[in-house]
Amino acid sequence: MGTTITAYDTIAAISTPPGEGAISIVRLSGEAALQTAAKVYHGKNLLKVPTNTINYGHIIDPDSGETVDEVMLSVLRGPKTYTREDMVEINCHGGIVSTNRVLQLLLGAGARMAEPGEFTKRAFLNGRIDLTEAESVMDLIRAKTDRAMQVAVDQLDGDLRRLITNLRQEILEVLAQVEVNIDYPEYDTDQMTTKMLQEKAQLVLSRVDELLQTASQGKVLREGLATAIVGRPNVGKSSLLNHMMHEDKAIVTDVPGTTRDVLEEYVNVRGVPLKLVDTAGIRDTDDKVEKIGVERSRQAITKADLIILVLDASQPLTAEDEALIKATADKKRIVVLNKQDLPAQLDQAQLAALVPAEQLIRTSILKAEGVAALDQQIATLFFGGIENSQTTVMVTNSRQIGLLRQAKASLQSVLAGIEAGMPIDLVQIDMTAAWDKLGEITGDTAPDELITQLFSQFCLGK
Amino acid sequence: MPQVREYEAAAYDVVVVGAGHAGCEAALAAARMGQKTLLITISLEMLAFMPCNPSLGGPAKGIVVREIDALGGEMGRNIDKTYIQMRMLNTGKGPAVRALRAQADKAAYHRSMKATIEAEPNLDLRQGLVERLLVEDGVCVGVVAATGARYRAKSVVLTAGTSSRGKIIIGELMYSSGPNNSLPSIKLSEDLEHLGFKLRRFKTGTPPRVVGHSIDFDQTEEQPGDVAPHAFSYETPDSAYLKDQMSCWMTYTNEKTHQIIRENLDRAPMFSGVIKGVGPRYCPSIEDKVVRFADKPRHQLFLEPEGRDTEEYYVGDFSTSMPEEVQLKMLHSVAGLQHAELMRPGYAIEYDIIEPWQLTATLETKVVKNLFTAGQMNGTSGYEEAAGQGIMAGINAALRAQNKPSFTLSRSDAYIGVLIDDLVTKGTNEPYRLLTSRAEYRLLLRHDNADLRLTAKGHELGLISDERFAQFEAKKAAIAAEIQRLQTTRLKPGQVNDWLASINAAPLKDGVLASDFLKRPEVSYQDLMQFIPLAAPLDHTITEEVEISLKYAGYIAKEQQSIARLQRMEAKKIPDRIDYEAINGLATEARQKLTKIQPQTLAQATRISGVNPADIAILSVYIEQGKIAKVGA
């Protein structure tokens, strides 16, 4: 029942630094590296291609059939590899978002998120690297492994930990019931364990499902809130963009399958990751005056979850402004009244009739005035929205999501087994697997837990 | 008093001390492996005696008996000759947990085992109280009995059981004694302490016995044996199955019983603080159950005959160390036992065990070379657990006497492997009982396939005859052939749909392989045979194997996958006598635990509590790099 031992299982990680360069590499190592990659790869049969080859193909979400990325995939069979194990390296072209999805699909297909430095650790363990300075490497391994465990556990939100611990306890109780049934057949505890097993599996499965749904909220955190900066030409969109870009080291990536002129840029505002939509449009309009106008803004508005509408306070409201105000009325929106440093020309009463006061932020981006209030408003909107949504527990991390998916698969096998009339001691195999997977999330490994439960829950003899 | 003079009595290859269930298997295994063996025990009347319940087997334990048999041990054959009732348990559940249990005729079981041992060519049986080990340079070279007799040996197996400084407690009464009022062994415990062994006190207990004709069986529920034949030994034919079996009887405690117990708790040694030893959670005394599960209105009891030629009945699950007077009141409050006459009172017994982390996986002690220990002495409870260790200790003592490499079983080989690994890796804080839940791979460690798992190993050791091995090989071939046939024979809808309709099962739309058809829960191997019969039907032991292998193939594959991972870790051996102090980077707790347990494989190291993945990583780097400092090197 131990789950701490992970040597030789298949590990995966993104091995290029985030956000640098147009290509990122997802790396797999372990005895099932090829099989795991093959589950999400559409192209040649990876199990049959020669070693040290690079293969063109696509990464497909096996559940939806959706194409996630166009990739070049290297097959490297052990022992002549970095780790001496079978390895796969996937060159992803789709930027950070789709690279993340590729990684998640691999985790869902059975790989485990690599600990920091684990590829190197395996190289040591498998004798690939000659340790001339063994002791410092020991320290490194110690530090890295301990920190990795610490990090894995620290990433756990207290509520999530409690929730998972409760789910495990639910499973543990039913497992103890199964064990009593098996080890003490002469006792009157026999009243239907199968039914209890089924109910518990369903209960835990629905909770795991809910958690996985929060993963899509977590996805916003990971992938950024799609944000459009809109407004007439020359109101200060470009300055606003530059302000945000300078404030943060933005991550710039290409988006697959489209022309390179549409850029998505990532900025981080008070912990809220924003994915800025159609920033090219903003720059273009500044270069080539009035060329694109409102029509282009409308397209950006439909793609975005958050709109930042910029108005020029030094000019009266135009028909174009009013059109944009109306087009964004149903959206989550911040209206920036810019150019406060210039004499005011805009009719405040007219604006108040169109935009609720709480959506208004007054700035002079040029003089960096009012931008802090804007940043704060973005943060409030985002975190406020999450607090309003039903669940407070959220899963955001790839490792957790991968393990939850595996637990879900085991729970589904439990239900399928019961449906097929399999005896409880076999169904129990999948239930135990679900318990183990959830335990990996919280970092709890307690092989004797079950036996302790057994004796505390039931009165047994013989 | 004059001093007893020691004399050179005899020289053996292997000396086994104690003739309980562990000692008998150890001595027989050593002798059958060609070693001149002595089995010496306090009382020959106690040889293979069952001082507690008159039954063998049950979940996990029953599988151990099959494993002992597959390795060429005696327990299975002996119970098959002497049982009075046989039942297969868990038949409503899956194949992994079916378990055979037999009620034994205690006296017959003892007599039969004694006869087998007396008839064994290389084996001498002697009554004697061993008081001291002969140890030279940290190596055990023999034993000395109370009579002064010195027996030299190349290796020694100790199976002292609950005799070691045994103390019986019945209420306020307390006296020095081995099990069932036998002579205790005092000096051997002291000698072991002098040699540097760490001992601790455990406690166990047994219920009262009552006179059969004083029981009103009408007030109890009958539990008869099975009609369909079963046997523990793979050698026992169906034709030998006992027709005339004795029943067990079931009754319950009640509120009145519980009240008597509660009123007398101040006289219960378990609660008054008299008993210091740690008792087993899985086999609590009745007073313990009443206290811990106060909301339960009743507890189940079993009345089990102790044999054919005796009136004695064992009151199962009524273990107690209450004063005799209270025991009588408690008994008389139970339906069916209102007029029961007491034959022997229940008692608690405290005894010494050797903390089992002082042993290696071969059951050799780390403190004294060529000395092996097995059975209750190692902290287990149960006849089967004792016998399983006994045969392994006997095998390894015989191998050591011949300077041959040792023999161990892994957690994926056998329950015996699980048992020994748990003991030597984790130690135990209470008398250890095997449970199926202790095994990670119980679907592979089945009752039915113990022979497939272990017969070849038994044959290689010389414990399984060529003849039996040939039979086994034929069985294996027959299983493979039948699996092959079912995997290549197709069934058409027209063949089976009428039958499926008759049992209200979904019809077939297309043809299927017989092996896939068998995966349907409603279809058994026997059902299948009406459509694709064999000219000569196969034996049920073969068809059972075929059916399980095909029907549960998916689950079996899951377990085999995880075993592959374990086996790679098991293959990473840790050299003997590592100086963990010299390994840089190990956490202090891991260093201490590793030094104490001295694991033999990386897999074993991972199972030690307090040893973290980082420690394992560091250890494995050192092993890979060969940079290991050895103690004293």
Side-chain angles (χ1 to χ4, degrees), chain B residues 61-341:
Chain B
K61 292 152 141 329
I63 300 176
V64 169
V65 180
R66 300 277 273 185
E67 290 173 351
I68 292 167
D69 184 69
L71 287 172
E74 202 57 34
M75 185 171 249
R77 280 191 290 244
N78 202 54
I79 185 65
D80 283 350
K81 284 186 268 184
T82 57
Y83 68 93
I84 53 178
Q85 187 203 90
M86 189 79 85
R87 279 179 73 203
M88 185 65 91
L89 307 174
N90 281 337
T91 49
K93 300 183 186 105
V97 298
R98 277 170 212 154
L100 199 52
R101 186 164 66 207
Q103 296 299 135
D105 184 315
K106 273 190 185 179
Y109 189 90
H110 149 77
R111 278 197 307 274
S112 168
M113 185 64 89
K114 188 156 177 265
T116 301
I117 283 172
E118 287 168 358
E120 190 63 41
N122 278 324
L123 182 54
D124 292 347
L125 177 63
R126 190 136 322 158
Q127 181 162 298
L129 175 62
V130 168
E131 295 196 324
R132 191 163 72 82
L133 298 175
L134 292 168
V135 177
E136 292 170 5
D137 298 329
V139 179
C140 186
V141 295
V143 301
V144 184
T147 55
R150 267 195 206 135
Y151 300 99
R152 300 273 167 184
K154 294 175 183 160
S155 58
V156 171
V157 182
L158 284 187
T159 68
T162 56
S163 296
S164 299
R165 276 197 292 226
K167 193 201 277 178
I168 283 182
I169 303 148
I170 306 170
E172 295 84 7
L173 173 67
M174 184 166 19
Y175 53 96
S176 180
S177 172
N180 199 35
N181 288 355
S182 59
L183 202 60
S185 155
I186 309 287
K187 290 195 173 163
L188 185 60
S189 261
E190 290 166 1
D191 190 46
L192 288 171
E193 281 180 331
H194 284 143
L195 287 167
F197 283 98
K198 202 162 165 357
L199 308 183
R200 69 182 286 184
R201 298 292 275 174
F202 271 8
K203 168 259 165 189
T204 187
T206 195
R209 316 296 201 271
V210 296
V211 181
H213 62 66
S214 70
I215 301 172
D216 181 2
F217 289 110
D218 290 344
Q219 298 181 45
T220 66
E221 231 171 279
E222 184 168 9
Q223 272 200 332
D226 285 353
V227 176
H230 310 291
F232 273 102
S233 173
Y234 289 93
E235 290 178 9
T236 308
D238 283 354
S239 58
Y241 193 63
L242 187 68
K243 300 276 182 301
D244 172 29
Q245 300 196 4
M246 292 183 76
S247 290
C248 291
W249 308 82
M250 212 163 75
T251 182
Y252 295 92
T253 62
N254 52 48
E255 219 14 82
K256 193 177 164 199
T257 323
H258 299 182
Q259 195 188 332
I260 296 168
I261 291 170
R262 280 193 292 265
E263 280 166 5
N264 288 283
L265 277 182
D266 58 324
R267 300 185 68 190
M270 283 296 295
F271 293 92
S272 61
V274 170
I275 290 180
K276 305 240 168 16
V278 183
R281 277 178 300 177
Y282 52 80
C283 189
S285 62
I286 187 72
E287 47 266 34
D288 209 12
K289 289 191 219 182
V290 168
V291 170
R292 280 177 49 207
F293 298 94
D295 54 332
K296 271 206 112 184
R298 62 178 199 174
H299 294 277
Q300 217 166 354
L301 303 179
F302 295 90
L303 306 175
E304 307 172 30
E306 295 230 332
R308 235 174 237 295
D309 307 323
T310 174
E311 280 289 319
E312 237 178 303
Y313 270 75
Y314 173 90
V315 186
D317 287 325
F318 205 65
S319 170
T320 179
S321 53
M322 282 287 194
E324 191 175 279
E325 178 195 3
V326 181
Q327 290 190 26
L328 276 166
K329 281 189 196 155
M330 284 157 56
L331 283 170
H332 292 160
S333 71
V334 173
L337 300 179
Q338 291 91 336
H339 305 289
E341 292 166 25

Side-chain angles (χ1 to χ4, degrees), chain A residues 338-384:
Chain A
N338 196 26
K339 304 197 184 178
Q340 297 286 328
D341 50 311
L342 299 178
Q345 295 287 322
L346 192 137
D347 181 345
Q348 296 291 334
Q350 191 191 357
L351 183 63
L354 291 165
V355 180
E358 66 270 18
Q359 291 184 3
L360 269 180
I361 300 282
R362 293 168 206 278
T363 64
S364 165
I365 294 166
L366 204 65
K367 304 232 153 125
E369 284 166 14
V371 289
L374 171 62
D375 291 354
Q376 183 55 50
Q377 179 77 352
I378 291 170
T380 308
L381 268 180
F382 181 77
F383 290 114

Side-chain angles (χ1 to χ4, degrees), chain A residues 5 8 31 125 131 142 179 181-184 186-187 420 423 425-426 428 430 455 458-460 462, chain B residues 59 90 93-94 284 292-293 300 304 317 433 436 442 521 552 558 565 568 572 585 615 620 624 627:
Chain A
I5 292 322
Y8 305 114
E31 57 186 5
L125 295 187
L131 304 179
R142 163 110 256 151
E179 298 304 336
N181 239 288
I182 292 166
D183 276 325
Y184 296 88
E186 64 275 59
Y187 282 86
D425 51 294
L426 296 183
Q428 164 273 334
D430 289 313
F455 292 121
F458 303 96
C459 176
L460 303 166
K462 204 125 198 168
Chain B
N90 281 337
K93 300 183 186 105
R292 280 177 49 207
F293 298 94
Q300 217 166 354
E304 307 172 30
D317 287 325
R433 174 188 172 153
T436 66
R442 68 179 168 205
Y552 306 114
K558 275 182 203 172
R565 200 163 109 183
R568 294 179 67 165
K572 295 216 170 185
D615 303 308
S620 66
E624 292 293 333
K627 291 183 178 173

